[in-house]
Amino acid sequence: MAKELRHYRVLSEQLGKFTDESTREKILSGMDYVKESSSPEVKAQWAYEVVKRMDEILDSETCIRVRENCTCLKSNENSIYAKTFRKLRKQCTDEDSYIDEVVKYLNDTKPLRRCGEVSRKGDKIISVIAGGRCACPTIREGLKQPISVTWCHCCKGSLLSVYKYVFPDKTCKMDIVSSVASGGNTCTMVTIYE
């Protein structure tokens, strides 16, 4: 028996956390056909279908919360990122120099490079994580047409799990400016702290 797609399992779990059983069933009914061994085209078609259902059934805030928690990679307070941010914060005397050091660190960590090309514009941190080609391992090979940006909040969730440790005492907010999967030229996300 083929192994179920991890993304299907995690989506099912997150829908269970943020919706009721009836809503979860409406979104996932008949969607268990996708497997780890499915072709890239089948995986992408599955993603189109499931996100279309989410967009039709759920409000945008719930869609975002569900997808942000479907992330493949999630940092925690013991991650290399969080530890390095704490170290940099102790070394920097003011917030501006600290943010500059965070941006430098994120651009210099070649093995990690999860945050892409990082820059700063005032109080905003800008991450360009892909250009020209979708970076999502679930859909990138089978993507033939734009998909709802709802899908991309999963990748955003991965970045949020890193960036929230830059200022753990502040609220970290992130917006998707553009995404390749939804028709943009880059996957660009902007982070601010409140």
Side-chain angles (χ1 to χ4, degrees):
M1 187 162 141
K3 186 177 175 187
E4 74 180 4
L5 183 68
R6 178 202 170 277
H7 217 87
Y8 171 85
R9 180 179 44 78
V10 173
L11 178 62
S12 178
E13 290 168 5
Q14 296 308 315
L15 286 167
K17 286 181 185 177
F18 294 106
T19 68
D20 59 35
E21 186 57 32
S22 171
T23 302
R24 184 176 138 326
E25 179 58 33
K26 283 179 195 169
I27 293 168
L28 293 179
S29 178
M31 299 304 289
D32 57 352
Y33 67 86
V34 69
K35 306 293 179 204
E36 285 292 340
S37 60
S38 295
S39 72
E41 292 76 21
V42 168
K43 289 176 182 176
Q45 185 58 43
W46 172 83
Y48 290 123
E49 291 174 31
V50 80
V51 168
K52 183 176 185 236
R53 288 182 187 185
M54 287 179 67
D55 286 342
E56 289 172 354
I57 295 170
L58 303 175
D59 62 84
S60 63
E61 186 177 308
T62 304
C63 282
I64 290 169
R65 282 198 335 243
V66 167
R67 292 297 300 147
E68 282 179 358
N69 285 285
C70 287
T71 184
C72 300
L73 298 168
K74 198 166 201 167
S75 293
N76 60 46
E77 65 185 29
N78 296 314
S79 71
I80 186 75
Y81 293 110
K83 288 177 181 176
T84 301
F85 297 153
R86 287 192 294 271
K87 185 174 109 183
L88 290 173
R89 191 67 175 131
K90 288 177 185 173
Q91 295 171 354
C92 297
T93 56
D94 64 272
E95 207 166 271
D96 275 342
S97 62
Y98 170 59
I99 294 174
D100 288 340
E101 288 301 312
V102 165
V103 168
K104 183 179 181 306
Y105 164 72
L106 291 173
N107 281 318
D108 288 345
T109 54
K110 301 258 185 273
L112 299 174
R113 285 309 291 257
R114 189 159 120 210
C115 300
E117 294 178 33
V118 183
S119 61
R120 177 183 178 201
K121 192 177 226 179
D123 63 345
K124 297 176 178 145
I125 297 176
I126 299 139
S127 297
V128 179
I129 58 171
R133 183 170 187 248
C134 177
C136 175
T138 303
I139 66 169
R140 73 174 162 230
E141 299 300 325
L143 190 66
K144 303 292 184 229
Q145 62 189 10
I147 190 170
S148 166
V149 74
T150 297
W151 181 263
C152 303
H153 285 279
C154 176
C155 189
K156 178 181 139 194
S158 179
L159 287 184
L160 271 171
S161 78
V162 171
Y163 284 117
K164 73 180 187 177
Y165 293 106
V166 171
F167 290 108
D169 56 330
K170 295 184 180 185
T171 301
C172 179
K173 300 210 175 193
M174 184 178 288
D175 290 321
I176 298 174
V177 175
S178 66
S179 80
V180 174
S182 65
N185 293 322
T186 64
C187 294
T188 302
M189 306 198 189
V190 174
T191 306
I192 59 166
Y193 299 91
E194 295 176 351

